C-alpha cells in the first residue's frame, strides 16, 4: 500500500520544485513536475482501498478437510468431508456427508487400542474453524484538487518573496504558464491568492517589503490573466478585509489604473525576458552608466545583487572594464570610478576572485579587436590590471592576459 502524502509533504515537494525551477529556468519542466505532483497527491494518496479486498477475498472460501475420529467404546470411525465452508454461513451446512464404515469382522473392536501398545494411534486432530477476516480499513481521505492547487500558487509566490527580481519574474511566468495550460484554473488561482493575502501580516515580519511585492504579484496576475480584474476589485472593495490584505489589493489596483500601468507592471521585474541573459546584460550596462554619474556604490550593489546571477558576474566585470577602456578619453573619471565600484564589490564579497579573473581574462583575449577602435587599449587595460592587483582583486601571479602579450 502506497504511503499517504500529507499536506505538509505536498507543500515541501512543491517548494522544492519551484526552487529547482529557479536554478534550471526551464518552465516546461517545472510545469510537468507540478502536474505530476498534483496527480500523485490527488489520485494516489494511500493507494487503492480495493487492493486490500483483492489480497483477502471476502467471498466463500473453498476448503477441504479430512479427519478421522475414534469413538472409543464403539470403535467406529467417522469420515467427515467438508466441501465448502462459508465464513458467515451455518456450521451445519458444512457437513455434506457422514458415513459409517462396516464393522470389522473377527476383531474385538472394544480392545482395538490394546492391539498395538507399541504404536498407539495418534490423538485425533481437532478441527480449527477458519479465521474470521477483519473488515477492510476505510479508504484514506484524498487531498482534493480544490485544496491542493491553490497551495501551488501560494508556494510559487512565497518562495520568490525572499529572492531577487529574477526569481519573482520567473514565478510570475510560471503562474502564467500553469494558468494557460490548464494546470491551475482561474478560481483556484484566486483561492491561492486568498491564502497569500491571509498571511500578509506574518510575511511582513520576515520580509518587510512583502506587501509591496505582493501588490506587484497580484497586479501581474491580473495582467497575465491568472486572476480576474473582478477578483482584484472585490478584494480592494471588501469592507470586512483586514487592513494589510486590503492595502495590497488597493496598491495593485492603483498600479494598474495609472497611465501605462499594465506595461509598467509587466516590466517591474524585467518583463517576460527578465530572466534571460540578455536582460541581465542590459541591466548591467544601465547600472554602470548610472554609477559613473552618481557614484552610488550601495545602489549599484543592490541592483547587481537583485539580478541573482552570481555565476554571471564575470560578464559584469568584463563590461565594466570595456566601459573604462572605451570612455577613458572622453571621461577620464570613468576608469577610476569603475575600479572603485569593482573594489567595493570585491570587499563586500558580492563578486568573488574567480569571477574577477574570468572577467579580466575575457577582456584580455579580446584586446586585439579593441585596439582597432581604441589604439591605446592595451596601455589602458594594463593600468586597470595594476589597479586591480593593488586592490587585491587579482592574484599577483595571474597571467590571464598572456595570450594578448604573447
Amino acid at each position: 500500500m502506497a504511503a499517504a502524502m500529507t499536506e505538509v509533504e505536498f507543500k515541501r515537494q512543491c517548494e522544492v520544485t519551484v526552487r529547482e525551477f529557479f536554478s534550471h529556468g526551464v518552465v516546461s519542466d517545472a510545469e510537468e513536475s507540478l502536474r505530476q505532483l498534483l496527480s500523485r497527491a490527488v489520485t494516489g494518496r494511500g493507494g487503492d482501498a480495493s487492493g486490500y479486498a483483492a489480497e483477502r477475498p471476502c467471498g466463500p472460501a473453498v476448503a477441504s478437510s479430512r479427519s478421522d475420529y475414534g469413538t472409543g467404546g464403539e470403535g467406529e470411525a467417522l469420515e467427515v468431508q467438508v466441501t465448502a465452508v462459508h465464513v458467515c454461513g451455518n456450521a451445519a451446512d458444512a457437513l455434506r456427508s457422514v458415513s459409517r464404515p462396516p464393522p470389522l469382522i473377527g476383531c474385538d473392536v472394544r480392545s482395538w487400542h490394546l492391539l498395538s501398545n507399541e504404536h498407539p494411534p495418534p490423538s485425533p486432530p481437532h478441527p480449527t474453524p477458519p479465521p474470521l477476516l477483519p473488515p477492510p480499513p476505510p479508504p484514506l481521505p484524498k487531498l482534493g484538487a480544490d485544496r491542493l492547487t491553490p497551495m501551488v500558487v501560494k508556494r510559487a509566490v512565497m518562495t520568490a518573496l525572499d529572492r531577487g527580481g529574477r526569481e519573482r519574474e520567473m514565478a510570475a511566468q510560471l503562474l502564467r504558464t500553469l494558468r494557460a495550460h490548464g494546470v491551475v484554473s482561474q478560481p483556484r488561482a484566486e483561492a491561492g491568492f486568498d491564502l497569500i493575502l491571509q498571511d500578509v501580516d506574518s510575511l511582513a515580519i520576515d520580509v518587510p517589503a512583502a506587501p509591496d511585492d505582493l501588490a506587484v504579484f497580484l497586479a501581474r496576475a491580473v495582467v497575465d490573466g491568472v486572476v480576474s480584474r473582478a477578483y482584484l476589485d472585490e478584494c480592494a472593495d471588501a469592507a470586512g478585509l483586514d487592513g494589510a490584505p486590503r492595502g495590497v489589493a488597493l496598491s495593485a489596483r492603483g498600479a494598474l489604473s495609472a497611465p501605462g500601468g499594465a506595461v509598467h507592471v509587466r516590466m517591474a521585474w524585467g518583463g517576460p525576458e527578465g530572466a534571460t541573459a540578455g536582460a541581465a546584460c542590459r541591466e548591467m550596462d544601465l547600472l554602470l552608466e548610472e554609477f559613473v554619474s552618481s557614484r552610488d556604490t550601495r545602489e549599484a550593489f543592490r541592483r547587481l545583487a537583485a539580478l541573482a546571477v552570481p555565476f554571471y558576474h564575470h560578464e559584469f566585470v568584463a563590461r565594466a572594464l570595456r566601459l573604462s577602456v572605451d570612455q577613458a578619453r572622453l571621461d577620464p573619471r570613468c576608469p577610476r570610478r569603475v575600479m572603485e565600484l569593482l573594489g567595493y564589490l570585491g570587499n563586500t564579497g558580492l563578486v568573488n576572485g574567480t569571477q574577477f579573473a574570468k572577467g579580466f581574462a575575457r577582456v584580455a583575449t579580446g584586446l586585439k579587436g579593441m585596439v582597432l577602435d581604441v589604439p591605446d587599449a592595451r596601455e589602458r587595460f594594463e593600468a586597470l590590471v595594476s589597479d586591480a592587483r593593488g586592490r587585491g582583486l587579482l592574484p599577483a601571479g595571474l597571467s590571464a592576459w598572456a595570450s594578448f602579450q604573447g
Side-chain angles (χ1 to χ4, degrees), residues 181-202:
H181 295 171
V183 180
V184 177
S185 64
Q186 194 171 81
R188 290 173 181 171
E190 294 172 353
F193 273 94
D194 284 341
L195 297 176
I196 297 171
L197 293 177
Q198 293 173 6
D199 294 341
V200 172
D201 292 327
S202 59

Side-chain angles (χ1 to χ4, degrees), residues 134-211:
L140 295 172
K142 295 181 179 179
L143 295 174
D146 289 340
R147 183 175 181 179
L148 292 180
T149 310
M151 293 182 189
V152 174
V153 177
K154 181 178 179 180
R155 302 318 298 180
V157 173
M158 294 185 63
T159 305
L161 280 181
D162 60 347
R163 300 294 191 95
R166 172 179 174 270
E167 286 78 9
R168 294 168 191 169
E169 175 63 31
M170 294 177 72
Q173 293 184 30
L174 177 60
L175 293 181
R176 182 185 61 184
T177 302
L178 295 177
R179 173 68 187 94
H181 295 171
V183 180
V184 177
S185 64
Q186 194 171 81
R188 290 173 181 171
E190 294 172 353
F193 273 94
D194 284 341
L195 297 176
I196 297 171
L197 293 177
Q198 293 173 6
D199 294 341
V200 172
D201 292 327
S202 59
L203 289 173
I205 298 176
D206 299 327
V207 185

Side-chain angles (χ1 to χ4, degrees), residues 28-261:
S28 59
D29 289 352
E31 175 195 350
E32 183 61 25
S33 297
L34 291 173
R35 188 191 297 271
Q36 293 179 4
L37 178 61
L38 283 168
S39 178
R40 291 198 308 270
V42 172
T43 63
R45 182 175 188 253
D48 188 359
S50 62
Y52 186 89
E55 295 177 0
R56 295 185 177 183
C58 194
V62 178
S64 295
S65 176
R66 188 179 183 89
S67 303
D68 292 336
Y69 293 81
T71 60
E74 295 295 331
E76 299 177 350
L78 295 179
E79 180 180 358
V80 181
Q81 175 70 32
V82 181
T83 58
V85 178
H86 194 290
V87 294
C88 300
N90 192 344
D93 295 336
L95 300 179
R96 298 298 187 187
S97 62
V98 178
S99 61
R100 296 177 181 271
L104 300 176
I105 300 175
C107 181
D108 187 1
V109 297
R110 291 174 297 177
S111 302
W112 178 259
H113 64 284
L114 299 177
L115 299 179
S116 56
N117 292 330
E118 296 180 358
H119 302 285
S123 300
H126 297 283
T128 58
L132 295 179
L133 297 178
L140 295 172
K142 295 181 179 179
L143 295 174
D146 289 340
R147 183 175 181 179
L148 292 180
T149 310
M151 293 182 189
V152 174
V153 177
K154 181 178 179 180
R155 302 318 298 180
V157 173
M158 294 185 63
T159 305
L161 280 181
D162 60 347
R163 300 294 191 95
R166 172 179 174 270
E167 286 78 9
R168 294 168 191 169
E169 175 63 31
M170 294 177 72
Q173 293 184 30
L174 177 60
L175 293 181
R176 182 185 61 184
T177 302
L178 295 177
R179 173 68 187 94
H181 295 171
V183 180
V184 177
S185 64
Q186 194 171 81
R188 290 173 181 171
E190 294 172 353
F193 273 94
D194 284 341
L195 297 176
I196 297 171
L197 293 177
Q198 293 173 6
D199 294 341
V200 172
D201 292 327
S202 59
L203 289 173
I205 298 176
D206 299 327
V207 185
D212 295 335
D213 294 331
L214 290 177
V216 179
F217 265 115
L218 183 54
R220 177 67 179 271
V222 175
V223 173
D224 291 340
V226 178
V227 302
S228 64
R229 180 60 185 262
Y231 168 78
L232 175 60
D233 292 336
E234 181 181 354
C235 292
D237 297 335
L241 199 62
D242 293 339
R246 188 180 181 186
V248 169
L250 289 172
S251 298
R253 186 165 67 176
L256 291 175
S257 301

